Amino acid sequence: MDKQKPDHAHWTAVADQWIAWAGAPGHDAFWAYRDGFASYLGAGRGSALEIGCGEGRISREARALGYHVTATDAVAAMVDAARAAQSADAYAVASSEALPFGDGGFDLVIAYNVLMDVEDVPAAVKEARRMLKPGGTLFISIVHPFRDRGRFAGPSVDAPFVVEGTYYGREHFDGVESRDGLSMHFAGWSLPLQDYMAALEAAGLAIVSLREPQPDAASTEQLRQWSRMPMFLWIKARALPSEE
């Protein structure tokens, strides 16, 4: 039985919501981190693979930085939207756990905010590792585990951040967020940081760089709260020498 089927069914059902939500400039939190993301990823001339491309905004950013980009997603409607926006140089409908490419074909593999939507994170990370050329880099963005397990007590910039329950353990999240006339039904998995690290270790990958980015100074007051606590975690990982 395919363990990703429930997640695939969810994202198939909400594909139109996501395409509208993520495609509206300035709407999603990503736009407040866009410059920092581009700076951290850096310019390149090699081949890049995005796993879980959605409507294609990350592939477009990587392409603008000089990479030759292949965009993949398990949901055909997402790939269609990415293609319509001319987000990449090539496209494929594919699960993160079963990518239709040979070993070691990419200088850069990007998994931007997709591992929270995958039930079997170790399998997805292992497959991403398989895609890397020797010396290649895996870039991962996840919603910061503390973000998932806590909340600000109020709307003010200096409101305390409260963690209720426990940080540890694997939890399923499911809820609708609405803003500026758009709604998005999010669902996925919240994991503590050590679970992601264990998946990297099991795949023979080591972290070479890490960022807990802050939003741009011009962000809304709500997002400025996240200048005090990290909303996202960005990781660059490479294969350990014995695994090359």
Side-chain angles (χ1 to χ4, degrees):
M1 182 177 180
D2 186 349
K3 291 185 178 181
Q4 276 196 274
K5 282 184 178 178
D7 299 323
H8 180 268
H10 169 78
W11 284 98
T12 298
V14 303
D16 289 344
Q17 290 182 27
W18 176 252
I19 291 165
W21 181 277
H27 181 77
D28 186 59
F30 165 75
W31 301 102
Y33 295 82
R34 178 184 181 182
D35 291 346
F37 165 75
S39 177
Y40 184 51
L41 190 64
R45 298 181 180 178
S47 57
L49 170 68
E50 186 183 6
I51 300 170
C53 68
E55 89 304 338
R57 61 188 175 172
I58 300 301
S59 286
R60 291 192 292 276
E61 295 293 333
R63 199 179 188 197
L65 288 167
Y67 293 96
H68 185 278
V69 180
T70 297
T72 70
D73 200 287
V75 178
M78 300 289 199
V79 176
D80 289 344
R83 183 183 288 111
Q86 299 182 335
S87 303
D89 301 284
Y91 306 86
V93 178
S95 162
S96 61
E97 296 177 20
L99 295 164
F101 309 109
D103 295 356
F106 298 92
D107 298 289
L108 173 69
V109 175
I110 302 171
Y112 190 94
N113 288 5
V114 67
L115 293 181
M116 305 94 64
D117 305 321
V118 173
E119 189 167 345
D120 192 343
V121 171
V125 172
K126 184 178 180 180
E127 184 70 344
R129 163 67 185 94
R130 186 178 71 81
M131 297 293 101
L132 288 175
K133 291 181 180 180
T137 299
L138 171 62
F139 174 92
I140 294 171
S141 174
I142 57 173
V143 173
H144 200 290
F146 273 115
R147 163 67 178 87
D148 280 340
R149 301 305 173 96
R151 61 176 179 80
F152 288 104
S156 66
V157 172
D158 60 353
F161 188 81
V162 180
V163 176
E164 298 172 339
T166 178
Y167 166 80
Y168 296 101
R170 181 174 181 266
E171 292 185 1
H172 189 259
F173 62 83
D174 190 313
V176 175
E177 186 174 338
S178 298
R179 187 169 63 253
D180 301 331
L182 294 175
S183 293
M184 178 62 207
H185 180 187
F186 290 98
W189 301 96
S190 173
L191 305 174
L193 186 55
Q194 65 181 3
D195 286 18
Y196 290 108
M197 300 306 100
L200 290 168
E201 184 179 8
L205 293 159
I207 293 174
V208 296
S209 181
L210 181 151
R211 296 289 187 275
E212 294 171 301
Q214 294 175 293
D216 299 339
S219 301
T220 64
E221 182 170 332
Q222 182 182 8
L223 279 176
R224 281 200 294 271
Q225 290 183 316
W226 296 103
S227 66
R228 295 172 43 227
M229 291 290 296
M231 179 181 285
F232 298 113
L233 179 65
W234 294 342
I235 292 168
K236 290 180 180 178
R238 295 187 184 133
L240 292 164
S242 62
E243 298 290 335
E244 293 281 16

